[in-house]
């Protein structure tokens, strides 16, 4: 998913009249911190005079970024204008300058894109919703060589629904106001899907949330557009009503989407006269084949971990036969090949640290290894059936030892088991469904680890910080947020 994306539109920000706040209240600081963490930082922002373990920028620095983005005075301090902008309904996706594209520039690789509306809003008639959604898609088909077709059954490229709060994806809605809707960038599965918060009042006028404007913005994300810093752009992150009669895509958005879906020249003309082909030179010897795959890019926004765990106080993140190690003092990232440290182990699918006996378990396919420091313990590998898995389980997706309960959670596809470390056997009553027992973390888990009192669950390139005792998601992160990337 390319973010919990919400609504947008053109907004003009006041440039003067800001009233400084001599001493912002704790509630104002908390709201500002949450806003900056969600929209202007990949991993979180610390408030003044507090320590936030995942902060890569200070509160003041990040606040200046936000103020610059919206054309406010860059004071790094909360004032009335800054708080007013933070309070506006907006899109849940992070902000970038001018028109932007998602990392890797995802796009649709076919001309006909289907869409289906599975759940409607009671605020409008079904025919009004159908007409408005079609009109929002037409904004794009007017300027790029894509066609959009509504279907009434089966799975479409873009699935659309109106739902409130937790609605089965990685980003529950927050009630009326705030995030109005969100969408996914182009791709398989959820790619392109758009969800609208049913707690909003959907209208076709200037009152409530205008469905056409919100949908047109979200479909921009579904086409591969990120946010724009141009305040006249449809893809500007905050919502404000504009006249929708004869609406045309603003220039900034048009240039952005046309840069992705180039319009071919129907009558191309040669720019040079043809010249005779030269006599071919002897072909050079081909370069030797590379001896190994290039290391993974830790700063790829769409980074997906194979596994993650702590080892002797340091965080370790595994990917494609390599691992990154991050020190407890956030003193930089090191990259190494797994088998250069632990000979015989080529890949790690899941991992966890059992601190009582200072042992780390690496899962690789249908077997597992015991590790202590940089040493592979004798007697390994062993079959994962030793844990008590049924024979049809041939791979573990993720694992994490939960010190509060002295048990290890083992994730396989959409289910998980609980392993009692003290008794050396699985608990009864398992497996259980992930989405029922850990609401909000996703349908599956690719990697999991415990850090400073929280559990972290990665699903795709996104991650949730989870409070186990409260059984609630604290916030949503990106995997790459741990990688010290600018």
């Amino acid at each position: 998913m390319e973010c919990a994306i919400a609504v947008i539109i053109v907004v003009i920000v006041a440039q003067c009249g800001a009233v400084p706040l001599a001493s912002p209240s704790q509630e104002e600081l908390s709201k500002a911190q949450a806003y900056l963490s969600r929209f202007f930082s990949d991993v979180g922002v610390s408030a003044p005079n507090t320590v936030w373990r995942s902060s890569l920028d200070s509160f003041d620095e990040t606040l200046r970024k936000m103020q610059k983005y919206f054309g406010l005075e860059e004071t790094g301090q909360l004032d009335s204008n800054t708080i007013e902008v933070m309070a506006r309904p907006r899109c849940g996706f992070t902000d970038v300058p001018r028109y932007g594209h998602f990392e890797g520039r995802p796009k649709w690789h076919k001309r006909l894109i289907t869409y289906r509306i599975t759940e409607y809003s009671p605020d409008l008639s079904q025919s009004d919703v159908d007409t408005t959604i079609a009109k929002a898609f037409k904004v794009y088909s007017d300027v790029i060589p894509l066609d959009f077709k509504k279907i009434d059954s089966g799975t479409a490229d873009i699935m659309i629904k109106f739902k409130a709060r937790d609605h089965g994806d990685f980003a529950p809605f927050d009630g009326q106001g705030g995030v109005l809707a969100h969408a996914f960038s182009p791709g398989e599965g959820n790619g392109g899907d758009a969800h609208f918060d049913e707690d909003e009042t959907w209208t076709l006028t200037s009152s409530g949330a205008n469905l056409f404007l919100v949908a047109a913005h979200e479909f921009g994300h579904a086409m591969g557009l990120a946010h724009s810093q141009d305040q006249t752009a449809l893809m500007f992150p905050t919502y404000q009503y504009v006249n929708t009669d004869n609406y045309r895509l603003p220039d900034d958005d048009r240039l952005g989407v046309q840069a992705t879906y180039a319009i071919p020249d129907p009558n191309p003309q040669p720019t040079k006269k043809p010249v005779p082909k030269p006599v071919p030179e002897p072909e050079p010897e081909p370069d030797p084949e590379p001896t190994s795959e290039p290391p993974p890019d830790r700063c790829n926004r769409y980074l997906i971990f194979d596994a993650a765990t702590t080892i002797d106080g340091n965080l370790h993140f595994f990917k494609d036969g390599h691992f990154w190690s991050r020190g407890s003092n956030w003193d930089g990232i090191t990259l190494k090949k797994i088998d250069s440290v632990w000979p015989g182990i080529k890949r790690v699918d899941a991992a966890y640290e059992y601190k009582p006996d200072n042992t780390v378990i690496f899962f690789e396919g249908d077997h597992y290894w015991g590790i202590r420091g940089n040493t592979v313990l004798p007697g390994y590998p062993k079959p994962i059936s030793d844990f008590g898995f049924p024979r049809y389980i041939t791979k573990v997706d993720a694992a994490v030892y939960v010190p509060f309960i002295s048990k290890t959670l083992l994730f396989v596809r959409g289910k998980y088991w609980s392993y009692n470390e003290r008794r050396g056997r699985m608990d009864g009553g398992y497996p259980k469904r992930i989405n029922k027992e850990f609401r909000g973390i996703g349908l599956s888990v690719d990697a999991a680890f415990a850090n400073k009192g929280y559990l972290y669950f990665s699903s795709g390139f996104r991650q949730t910080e989870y409070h186990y005792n409260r059984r609630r998601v604290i916030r949503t992160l990106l995997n790459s947020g741990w990688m010290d990337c600018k």
Side-chain angles (χ1 to χ4, degrees):
M1 174 180 120
E2 185 39 50
C3 108
I5 301 179
V7 143
I8 358 276
I9 318 305
V10 189
V11 75
I12 304 299
V13 179
Q15 297 289 330
C16 59
V19 179
L21 302 179
S23 180
S25 68
Q26 186 58 49
E27 181 181 5
E28 288 169 330
L29 285 175
S30 296
K31 287 182 177 179
Q33 177 183 333
Y35 186 95
L36 297 177
S37 178
R38 182 166 190 179
F39 301 120
F40 285 85
S41 172
D42 281 345
V43 294
V45 180
S46 59
N49 303 316
T50 67
V51 176
W52 191 274
R53 68 194 161 283
S54 299
S55 176
L56 300 183
D57 283 333
S58 71
F59 178 89
D60 294 352
E61 290 171 337
T62 310
L63 187 60
R64 286 191 182 94
K65 291 181 183 177
M66 177 265 178
Q67 290 168 330
K68 180 179 181 180
Y69 189 96
F70 286 101
L72 300 168
E73 184 179 359
E74 299 171 42
T75 63
Q77 302 294 320
L78 283 177
D79 55 41
S80 58
N81 276 354
T82 304
I83 289 176
E84 189 275 329
V85 169
M86 287 181 173
R88 291 173 178 167
R90 62 156 292 151
C91 177
F93 186 63
T94 54
D95 297 325
V96 296
R98 290 290 170 182
Y99 73 75
H101 302 98
F102 295 126
E103 186 75 24
R105 298 188 64 146
K107 60 181 288 187
W108 298 105
H109 294 282
K110 54 184 178 179
R111 175 156 185 168
L112 179 63
I113 310 301
T114 60
Y115 68 92
R116 180 186 172 193
I117 306 171
T118 59
E119 297 183 61
Y120 285 80
S121 171
D123 299 338
L124 298 167
S125 70
Q126 182 170 327
S127 62
D128 280 343
V129 172
D130 288 343
T131 300
T132 303
I133 293 298
K135 178 182 174 184
F137 277 120
K138 189 174 185 299
V139 165
Y140 295 94
S141 61
D142 282 346
V143 298
I144 58 175
L146 293 184
D147 294 319
F148 301 94
K149 178 183 178 181
K150 181 178 180 295
I151 63 174
D152 297 318
S153 63
T155 302
D157 297 311
I158 297 175
M159 301 291 281
I160 300 167
K161 66 181 176 181
F162 292 78
K163 271 287 197 180
R165 301 293 178 172
D166 189 347
H167 52 282
D169 64 10
F170 206 60
F173 287 127
D174 54 4
Q176 190 167 24
V179 173
L180 306 179
H182 58 228
F184 297 72
S185 61
E188 299 296 325
N190 289 338
D193 291 358
H195 302 154
F196 297 83
D197 187 356
E198 188 44 56
D199 280 335
E200 310 299 339
T201 301
W202 296 103
T203 75
L204 304 180
T205 64
S206 59
S207 63
N210 183 278
L211 178 58
F212 168 74
L213 292 173
V214 175
H217 174 91
E218 296 311 322
F219 297 155
H221 290 311
M223 295 302 103
L225 288 179
H227 280 160
S228 171
Q229 194 174 344
D230 184 338
Q231 296 182 10
T232 68
L234 175 66
M235 300 310 293
F236 194 67
T238 58
Y239 170 87
Q240 183 167 314
Y241 177 79
V242 296
N243 192 321
T244 62
D245 292 339
N246 300 314
Y247 186 88
R248 292 179 178 274
L249 202 60
D251 287 345
D252 187 73
D253 310 291
R254 178 180 55 79
L255 292 171
V257 76
Q258 287 179 341
T260 298
Y261 301 95
I263 301 176
D265 184 352
N267 298 298
Q269 299 295 324
T271 55
K272 296 181 179 180
K273 293 183 178 179
V275 295
K277 292 183 178 181
V279 177
E281 296 287 338
E283 292 189 6
E285 291 294 323
D287 292 332
E289 291 292 324
T291 57
S292 62
E293 293 291 325
D297 177 11
R298 78 173 198 260
C299 291
N300 184 340
R301 184 182 180 85
Y302 298 94
L303 174 65
I304 297 175
F305 294 140
D306 292 335
T309 188
T310 53
I311 302 177
D312 295 334
N314 293 337
L315 286 168
H316 288 63
F317 303 96
F318 297 85
K319 177 71 174 176
D320 296 342
H322 297 75
F323 71 93
W324 295 281
S325 176
R326 172 152 208 165
S328 59
N329 295 321
W330 307 103
D331 53 0
I333 303 285
T334 59
L335 174 67
K336 295 181 181 179
K337 293 195 69 173
I338 295 171
D339 61 4
S340 71
V341 177
W342 299 286
I345 303 177
K346 299 295 184 181
R347 177 186 176 89
V348 175
D349 297 320
Y352 73 93
E353 182 178 38
Y354 182 57
K355 291 185 178 180
D357 66 2
N358 196 30
T359 300
V360 177
I361 299 297
F362 287 169
F363 293 91
E364 182 184 11
D366 61 1
H367 54 273
Y368 71 100
W369 306 78
I371 306 295
R372 189 165 291 143
N374 292 347
T375 303
V376 178
L377 297 176
Y380 290 91
K382 298 179 179 180
I384 62 174
S385 58
D386 285 0
F387 278 82
F389 284 115
R391 291 190 177 184
Y392 65 83
I393 299 299
T394 59
K395 177 180 177 293
V396 177
D397 295 332
V400 58
Y401 173 69
V402 184
F404 326 117
I405 57 174
S406 299
K407 296 180 181 180
T408 298
L409 306 180
L410 301 162
F411 298 85
V412 180
R413 295 187 286 276
K415 299 178 181 180
Y416 79 100
W417 279 258
S418 174
Y419 182 77
N420 190 315
E421 294 285 351
R422 292 176 180 173
R423 296 184 177 183
R425 66 187 186 193
M426 292 288 194
D427 290 326
Y430 290 85
K432 295 182 179 181
R433 286 275 175 193
I434 295 170
N435 62 341
K436 289 186 177 180
E437 301 296 320
F438 294 94
R439 293 186 182 276
I441 72 168
L443 300 178
S444 62
V445 177
D446 298 319
F449 62 96
N451 187 50
K452 304 196 179 204
Y454 292 90
L455 300 182
Y456 293 85
F457 298 109
S458 292
S459 181
F461 64 91
R462 293 194 170 278
Q463 185 181 95
T464 48
E465 180 182 77
Y466 191 85
H467 195 294
Y468 184 85
N469 289 336
R470 295 180 185 174
R471 289 301 179 102
R472 60 175 291 186
V473 171
I474 303 302
R475 57 183 177 150
T476 300
L477 315 171
L478 295 177
N479 288 336
S480 59
W482 296 91
M483 296 288 111
D484 267 355
C485 300
K486 299 297 184 183

